[in-house]
Amino acid sequence: MFTDAFASLPVGRNDELRILNVGCGLGFLSCVSAEFYKNARITGIDTFEHASLRRSSPKRAKENARILGFSDRIDFNKGDVFRFTPVEKFDIIISNLVFHNFGKIRFKVYSRL
Ligand SMILES: C[S@@+](CC[C@H](N)C(=O)[O-])C[C@H]1O[C@@H](n2cnc3c(N)ncnc32)[C@H](O)[C@@H]1O
C-alpha cells in the first residue's frame, strides 16, 4: 500500500528527497520509505510516550534502522508534531496510524505541516 502510494507521487525514486515521518514509532514507515527512495534522507519524530508503544524510543528505532542498513539515511528524534518547528524543508511528509487519534485538531496539524 505504501509503495503504491510512493509510486504515485510526482518525484523520482532516485531523487535526493528529504522526508519527514510524523509519529515514526519504531521506524516502520521510515524504513519502508528509505527502501523505496534510495537517495532520500528521512527524519522521524515521535513523542515516544504513546501507551500502545510504551517501550519505543529513538534508540530502539535507530537500532531497527541499523539492522535494515538505513542508519546513514534515517534519523529519529523526540518531538511533538503540535510543537515541531522544522529547521529545514521536506519534500514529502509521511505518517502511519497517527493522525486519526487527534480528532478534529488534526486539521490544524495538516495546515501547519
Ligand atoms: C499507533 S503508533 C504508530 C507508529 C508508527 N507510525 C508505525 O506505523 O508503526 C502512533 C504513534 O504516534 C505517536 N504520536 C502520538 N502523538 C504524537 C505527537 N503529538 N507527535 C508525534 N508523535 C505522536 C505515538 O508516540 C506513537 O508512536
Short mmCIF file of all heavy atoms in Angstrom, two decimals, residues 23-25 28 46-50 52-53 79-82 96-98 102, ligand 1:
data_model
loop_
_atom_site.label_atom_id
_atom_site.label_comp_id
_atom_site.label_asym_id
_atom_site.label_seq_id
_atom_site.Cartn_x
_atom_site.Cartn_y
_atom_site.Cartn_z
N GLY A 23 5.28 10.81 13.90
CA GLY A 23 4.84 9.70 14.75
C GLY A 23 5.47 8.40 14.30
O GLY A 23 4.81 7.39 14.12
N CYS A 24 6.78 8.44 14.15
CA CYS A 24 7.51 7.33 13.50
C CYS A 24 7.52 6.04 14.31
O CYS A 24 7.76 4.96 13.76
CB CYS A 24 8.94 7.76 13.22
SG CYS A 24 9.84 8.26 14.71
N GLY A 25 7.26 6.12 15.61
CA GLY A 25 7.29 4.90 16.43
C GLY A 25 8.64 4.21 16.33
O GLY A 25 9.69 4.83 16.47
N PHE A 28 8.99 1.85 11.39
CA PHE A 28 8.49 1.02 10.29
C PHE A 28 8.40 1.79 8.96
O PHE A 28 9.04 1.44 7.97
CB PHE A 28 7.12 0.42 10.67
CG PHE A 28 6.26 0.04 9.51
CD1 PHE A 28 6.59 -1.04 8.70
CD2 PHE A 28 5.11 0.76 9.19
CE1 PHE A 28 5.81 -1.39 7.61
CE2 PHE A 28 4.32 0.42 8.11
CZ PHE A 28 4.67 -0.65 7.32
N ASP A 46 8.79 11.60 17.02
CA ASP A 46 7.76 10.93 17.82
C ASP A 46 7.92 11.43 19.26
O ASP A 46 9.03 11.74 19.69
CB ASP A 46 7.95 9.41 17.79
CG ASP A 46 6.68 8.66 18.16
OD1 ASP A 46 6.20 8.79 19.31
OD2 ASP A 46 6.14 7.94 17.30
N THR A 47 6.79 11.49 19.97
CA THR A 47 6.89 11.84 21.40
C THR A 47 7.49 10.68 22.19
O THR A 47 8.00 10.87 23.28
CB THR A 47 5.49 12.14 21.97
OG1 THR A 47 4.65 11.02 21.69
CG2 THR A 47 4.90 13.40 21.34
N PHE A 48 7.39 9.49 21.62
CA PHE A 48 7.85 8.26 22.27
C PHE A 48 7.22 8.09 23.66
O PHE A 48 7.84 7.59 24.58
CB PHE A 48 9.39 8.22 22.36
CG PHE A 48 10.05 8.13 21.01
CD1 PHE A 48 10.66 9.23 20.44
CD2 PHE A 48 10.03 6.94 20.29
CE1 PHE A 48 11.25 9.15 19.18
CE2 PHE A 48 10.61 6.85 19.03
CZ PHE A 48 11.22 7.95 18.48
N GLU A 49 5.95 8.51 23.76
CA GLU A 49 5.27 8.39 25.06
C GLU A 49 3.92 7.68 24.92
O GLU A 49 3.16 7.62 25.87
CB GLU A 49 5.03 9.78 25.66
CG GLU A 49 6.31 10.42 26.17
CD GLU A 49 6.14 11.89 26.47
OE1 GLU A 49 5.06 12.44 26.19
OE2 GLU A 49 7.11 12.48 26.97
N HIS A 50 3.62 7.19 23.73
CA HIS A 50 2.30 6.62 23.47
C HIS A 50 2.14 5.28 24.18
O HIS A 50 3.06 4.46 24.18
CB HIS A 50 2.12 6.45 21.97
CG HIS A 50 0.70 6.18 21.56
ND1 HIS A 50 0.24 4.91 21.32
CD2 HIS A 50 -0.34 7.01 21.36
CE1 HIS A 50 -1.04 4.98 20.97
NE2 HIS A 50 -1.41 6.25 20.99
N SER A 52 0.44 2.65 23.48
CA SER A 52 0.48 1.43 22.67
C SER A 52 1.91 1.06 22.27
O SER A 52 2.17 -0.06 21.84
CB SER A 52 -0.37 1.60 21.40
OG SER A 52 0.19 2.57 20.55
N LEU A 53 2.82 2.02 22.38
CA LEU A 53 4.22 1.73 22.05
C LEU A 53 5.10 2.18 23.21
O LEU A 53 6.05 2.93 23.05
CB LEU A 53 4.62 2.48 20.77
CG LEU A 53 4.13 1.88 19.46
CD1 LEU A 53 4.49 2.80 18.29
CD2 LEU A 53 4.73 0.52 19.19
N GLY A 79 10.03 14.40 19.44
CA GLY A 79 9.39 15.63 19.03
C GLY A 79 7.88 15.47 18.97
O GLY A 79 7.38 14.40 18.65
N ASP A 80 7.18 16.55 19.30
CA ASP A 80 5.72 16.56 19.29
C ASP A 80 5.27 17.33 18.06
O ASP A 80 5.66 18.49 17.88
CB ASP A 80 5.24 17.25 20.58
CG ASP A 80 3.72 17.24 20.71
OD1 ASP A 80 3.02 17.22 19.68
OD2 ASP A 80 3.25 17.27 21.85
N VAL A 81 4.46 16.72 17.22
CA VAL A 81 4.07 17.37 15.96
C VAL A 81 3.32 18.67 16.20
O VAL A 81 3.33 19.57 15.36
CB VAL A 81 3.25 16.40 15.07
CG1 VAL A 81 1.87 16.16 15.63
CG2 VAL A 81 3.16 16.93 13.65
N PHE A 82 2.71 18.84 17.38
CA PHE A 82 1.99 20.08 17.68
C PHE A 82 2.95 21.23 18.00
O PHE A 82 2.56 22.39 18.00
CB PHE A 82 1.02 19.88 18.84
CG PHE A 82 -0.15 19.01 18.46
CD1 PHE A 82 -0.15 17.66 18.78
CD2 PHE A 82 -1.23 19.53 17.77
CE1 PHE A 82 -1.21 16.84 18.43
CE2 PHE A 82 -2.30 18.72 17.41
CZ PHE A 82 -2.29 17.38 17.73
N ASN A 96 1.85 7.10 9.60
CA ASN A 96 1.02 5.91 9.61
C ASN A 96 0.41 5.73 10.99
O ASN A 96 1.12 5.68 12.00
CB ASN A 96 1.89 4.67 9.28
CG ASN A 96 1.08 3.38 9.26
OD1 ASN A 96 0.01 3.34 8.68
ND2 ASN A 96 1.60 2.34 9.90
N LEU A 97 -0.93 5.66 11.03
CA LEU A 97 -1.65 5.37 12.28
C LEU A 97 -1.39 6.39 13.37
O LEU A 97 -1.20 6.05 14.54
CB LEU A 97 -1.29 3.96 12.78
CG LEU A 97 -1.67 2.81 11.86
CD1 LEU A 97 -1.13 1.49 12.39
CD2 LEU A 97 -3.17 2.74 11.67
N VAL A 98 -1.39 7.66 12.99
CA VAL A 98 -1.14 8.71 13.97
C VAL A 98 -2.28 9.75 13.97
O VAL A 98 -2.93 9.96 14.99
CB VAL A 98 0.20 9.43 13.70
CG1 VAL A 98 0.44 10.57 14.70
CG2 VAL A 98 1.35 8.43 13.73
N PHE A 102 -6.03 12.17 16.62
CA PHE A 102 -6.08 13.56 17.06
C PHE A 102 -7.46 14.19 16.96
O PHE A 102 -7.66 15.32 17.41
CB PHE A 102 -5.09 14.41 16.24
CG PHE A 102 -3.64 14.03 16.40
CD1 PHE A 102 -2.74 14.25 15.37
CD2 PHE A 102 -3.18 13.47 17.57
CE1 PHE A 102 -1.41 13.92 15.50
CE2 PHE A 102 -1.84 13.13 17.72
CZ PHE A 102 -0.96 13.35 16.69
C1 LIG B 1 -0.03 3.62 16.57
S1 LIG B 1 1.59 4.30 16.73
C2 LIG B 1 2.18 4.18 15.04
C3 LIG B 1 3.68 4.16 14.99
C4 LIG B 1 4.31 4.08 13.59
N1 LIG B 1 3.84 5.18 12.76
C5 LIG B 1 4.04 2.76 12.93
O1 LIG B 1 3.44 2.73 11.85
O2 LIG B 1 4.47 1.73 13.47
C6 LIG B 1 1.23 6.05 16.91
C7 LIG B 1 2.49 6.85 17.18
O3 LIG B 1 2.20 8.25 17.15
C8 LIG B 1 3.00 8.88 18.14
N2 LIG B 1 2.43 10.17 18.49
C9 LIG B 1 1.26 10.41 19.17
N3 LIG B 1 1.07 11.72 19.34
C10 LIG B 1 2.14 12.34 18.76
C11 LIG B 1 2.52 13.71 18.63
N4 LIG B 1 1.75 14.69 19.12
N5 LIG B 1 3.67 13.99 17.98
C12 LIG B 1 4.46 12.99 17.49
N6 LIG B 1 4.15 11.67 17.59
C13 LIG B 1 3.00 11.36 18.23
C14 LIG B 1 2.99 7.86 19.27
O4 LIG B 1 4.00 8.08 20.22
C15 LIG B 1 3.12 6.55 18.53
O5 LIG B 1 4.46 6.16 18.36
#
